[in-house]
Amino acid sequence: MIALCDCNNFYVSCERVFNPSLEGKPVVVLSNNDGCIISRSNEVKELGIKMAQPAFYIKDLIKKHNIQLFSSNYTLYGDMSQRVMNILSGFTPLMEIYSIDEAFLDFTGITEINYQKTGDEIITKIKKWTGIPVSIGFAQTKTLAKIASKAAKRNFGVYSIDSPRKHDIALKNTSVADLWGVGGQYASMLAKNKIYSAYDFTLAPDEWIRKNMTVMGLRTKKELLGIPCIRIEDDIKDKKAICTSRAFGKKINSIDFLREAVATYATRCAEKLRKQYSQANILMVFIHTDPFNKNEKQYRKSITISLPFPTNDNQILLKYALMGLEKIFSKGYAYKKAGVIVDSLEPDSSIQGSLFDDSGSSKKKKLMESIDVLNSKFGRDTIRYAILGDGKEWKLRQEKLSGRFTTRWEEILSVSVKV
């Protein structure tokens, strides 16, 4: 059996762990620059507020129902996710972290297991050790486990598709639009052919599915029938390209502030490269104005640079990123976003050295390692190049940001007790 463990309203739940007064109250977490809703409490869902709605559009509802707003706190959410995943890893040797709030667990071959009891134990332990509520669904395949996980949210946290009757009920109550791997276009096509539920989908001929949805559609059908076709990916694959990009908290006209942003993004790319032991051969820089503001002059430009040798060195990536920015910058525009992408990545263990390249020298490597260690221990950008600046003119708008309670000593919660 495969289990999918899903954290309930994860970002909201993280906020509630450190602010218990939010329990039972409507709470939302907003996207970058406090723009759109990306996590909702059940109380907010009952008000009919949808995911991805701009907060500005529902300001009257927010005021009427005293909805609590929070800026996205990815430092906190990432750390809480890691704690949840560490607990889950103790229940089975084979686990796939699917997203920040979901993980597949493979119980295949584990005999004499009571899935209800195991699910209850997982829920209890995670709640006790982290404060995060979770739901868990058990089924024969990953696709069915996705369906079971959704059903678990309506069945006291645990649901197992472990009988033919439950299997048929689950498929008949699941719309094809909600199936894992079926997008909007396929869902519309299936509806036109009178295929509305997952059960209907399993009745469609294999040849028809392969013709209209390729072998991926046929794989989904087999998964729905209980035939495993998607294996657990327990190894985290290195990224083939890395992008660091953010919309600015406010529009900027000055190239000086763009230099700060691009230098920061190039540094982040370098950090991520070193974390997965990779080096980049290609670097791209892009900048653009706000495409949604039709009253302003529009400008979008990018440049791709082939690096003289593979590298993950801060200084070298900074140098070429800033060179690229100088070439594409144009005066007279209000810029809303910039970004840096590194591509054509190679494992640093297989890099062929160059007579003119000293980025792989022991001194350079030790310098980068020392910077990473110090920044990890004392906080990001404790050691940084001056060009990064302080980011006050362009960083994300996070007016309702909670504390990084688990990763910053200066932001740890303090509790006073009256004796």
Side-chain angles (χ1 to χ4, degrees), residues 42-69:
N42 290 334
E43 295 79 8
V44 170
K45 295 175 184 178
E46 290 171 2
L47 294 173
I49 296 173
K50 306 296 183 183
M51 281 286 283
Q53 275 191 282
F56 176 79
Y57 290 168
I58 59 167
K59 60 181 181 180
D60 292 337
L61 279 175
I62 291 172
K63 184 176 181 180
K64 179 181 178 181
H65 297 283
N66 192 28
I67 298 174
Q68 305 298 302
L69 305 178

Side-chain angles (χ1 to χ4, degrees), residues 252-293:
I252 57 178
N253 306 86
S254 168
I255 191 172
D256 292 332
F257 296 133
L258 276 176
R259 286 193 190 101
E260 287 187 9
V262 168
T264 299
Y265 300 154
T267 300
R268 298 287 177 265
C269 286
E271 291 168 353
K272 293 174 182 178
L273 284 169
R274 293 195 295 275
K275 191 171 183 179
Q276 71 171 39
Y277 303 102
S278 296
Q279 299 196 34
N281 285 282
I282 293 174
L283 179 143
M284 187 176 98
V285 181
F286 65 86
I287 54 176
H288 65 74
T289 54
D290 185 355
F292 300 105
N293 191 333

Side-chain angles (χ1 to χ4, degrees), residues 42-291:
N42 290 334
E43 295 79 8
V44 170
K45 295 175 184 178
E46 290 171 2
L47 294 173
I49 296 173
K50 306 296 183 183
M51 281 286 283
Q53 275 191 282
F56 176 79
Y57 290 168
I58 59 167
K59 60 181 181 180
D60 292 337
L61 279 175
I62 291 172
K63 184 176 181 180
K64 179 181 178 181
H65 297 283
N66 192 28
I67 298 174
Q68 305 298 302
L69 305 178
F70 288 89
S71 303
S72 47
N73 187 343
Y74 295 120
T75 302
L76 175 65
Y77 308 152
D79 185 69
M80 293 299 289
S81 172
Q82 184 176 356
R83 293 168 188 241
V84 170
M85 300 307 166
N86 286 342
I87 296 170
L88 289 174
S89 66
F91 286 90
T92 174
L94 190 54
M95 182 181 88
E96 174 188 342
I97 299 175
Y98 181 65
S99 67
I100 193 171
D101 61 346
E102 292 178 286
F104 287 103
L105 293 87
D106 192 347
F107 289 93
T108 303
I110 301 178
T111 58
E112 298 181 1
I113 180 172
N114 183 312
Y115 296 110
Q116 181 68 45
K117 184 178 178 181
T118 300
D120 288 337
E121 183 182 351
I122 291 172
I123 290 172
T124 300
K125 183 170 285 189
I126 291 176
K127 181 66 174 178
K128 183 178 180 180
W129 289 9
T130 70
I132 300 296
V134 302
S135 300
I136 185 164
F138 293 88
Q140 291 175 297
T141 68
K142 290 174 76 173
T143 302
L144 285 173
K146 272 277 190 179
I147 295 174
S149 176
K150 290 183 179 179
K153 294 181 184 296
R154 304 186 297 270
N155 289 273
F156 308 103
V158 181
Y159 190 79
S160 301
I161 300 177
D162 53 5
S163 70
R165 179 177 172 274
K166 282 187 174 182
H167 181 255
D168 285 350
I169 291 173
L171 295 185
K172 289 176 180 179
N173 289 334
T174 301
S175 166
V176 287
D178 295 330
L179 282 178
W180 188 33
V182 175
Q185 289 186 338
Y186 278 141
S188 298
M189 182 273 293
L190 291 168
K192 289 178 182 177
N193 287 275
K194 298 183 179 181
I195 298 174
Y196 305 107
S197 69
Y199 184 81
D200 297 336
F201 186 76
T202 61
L203 299 178
D206 288 359
E207 297 78 11
W208 185 88
I209 292 177
R210 182 189 289 271
K211 178 181 177 181
N212 291 277
M213 298 180 67
T214 74
V215 70
M216 301 297 287
L218 190 57
R219 187 175 70 172
T220 297
K221 176 183 173 179
K222 290 183 177 180
E223 284 261 322
L224 290 173
L225 291 173
I227 304 169
C229 297
I230 309 173
R231 72 181 187 89
I232 296 289
E233 300 284 351
D234 58 332
D235 57 327
I236 300 175
K237 291 181 171 58
D238 290 341
K239 295 179 180 179
K240 296 180 180 179
I242 294 172
C243 174
T244 304
S245 173
R246 294 287 186 276
F248 303 136
K250 62 181 181 181
K251 296 172 185 176
I252 57 178
N253 306 86
S254 168
I255 191 172
D256 292 332
F257 296 133
L258 276 176
R259 286 193 190 101
E260 287 187 9
V262 168
T264 299
Y265 300 154
T267 300
R268 298 287 177 265
C269 286
E271 291 168 353
K272 293 174 182 178
L273 284 169
R274 293 195 295 275
K275 191 171 183 179
Q276 71 171 39
Y277 303 102
S278 296
Q279 299 196 34
N281 285 282
I282 293 174
L283 179 143
M284 187 176 98
V285 181
F286 65 86
I287 54 176
H288 65 74
T289 54
D290 185 355

